[in-house]
Amino acid sequence: MVRVAQLGIALGALGAMLAFMGLFPGVTGLPPTAGIGILQIFAILLGFSLLIAGALIYVKFTFYSASSSNLAQQIGTRLAMTGLVMAAMTGMADVLGFGSHGSTLNGTILLGPLQAVGMLLSYAVSSLGVLVYAVAGRPESDEMLEP
């Protein structure tokens, strides 16, 4: 089970690196452009998704590998995944056509302040889901309930 936890760490590190390159594309040597492109938004979303998935894998196989998940841990997992779906919806809103900006005449995608705040809040919800999964603890056994 240690190998799977190490895979979670590697997945999280890859996600953090990909999100960093999406947020700051000048780090890779690319010239800065006006606006935020669809590839840049996709890199940010994919990076944070890998980061959250890596965190969930690490917590599961480091602390709770021998036990099945309880209801609180399942809620934490679903909360983390719901936050990622909400981040994808808010980040790709203009690309998918239900955002407030749409695409401009020259094809530049704009990431507005409401979309950025929506993505940040969605990632906070995902992080909260990982935290709920981590602190939910082991399921109680029947032996512990008897006096």
Side-chain angles (χ1 to χ4, degrees):
M1 295 301 155
V2 173
R3 296 279 185 197
V4 180
Q6 290 174 349
L7 176 71
I9 292 172
L11 201 62
L14 176 69
M17 201 168 31
L18 190 61
F20 184 74
M21 287 190 311
L23 287 169
F24 307 105
V27 174
T28 60
L30 295 174
T33 59
I36 294 180
I38 187 169
L39 185 62
Q40 192 174 356
I41 295 171
F42 186 71
I44 294 167
L45 290 172
L46 183 64
F48 277 118
S49 298
L50 287 175
L51 181 66
I52 295 295
L56 283 172
I57 290 171
Y58 176 76
V59 169
K60 166 67 180 165
F61 288 101
T62 300
F63 300 114
Y64 308 115
S65 62
S67 64
S68 61
S69 58
N70 59 14
L71 181 63
Q73 289 174 327
Q74 291 177 3
I75 289 172
T77 302
R78 284 171 176 80
L79 190 63
M81 295 303 133
T82 301
L84 291 177
V85 169
M86 293 300 292
M89 284 177 37
T90 57
M92 295 288 201
D94 289 341
V95 175
L96 296 175
F98 60 89
S100 60
H101 293 107
S103 59
T104 59
L105 293 175
N106 59 0
T108 304
I109 304 295
L110 297 173
L111 184 72
L114 286 176
Q115 285 178 290
V117 168
M119 286 177 68
L120 287 174
L121 289 176
S122 299
Y123 290 134
V125 168
S126 291
S127 300
L128 181 69
V130 172
L131 187 63
V132 165
Y133 187 90
V135 299
R138 300 187 192 277
E140 294 182 16
S141 65
D142 293 333
E143 299 170 357
M144 296 176 75
L145 297 176
E146 295 177 9

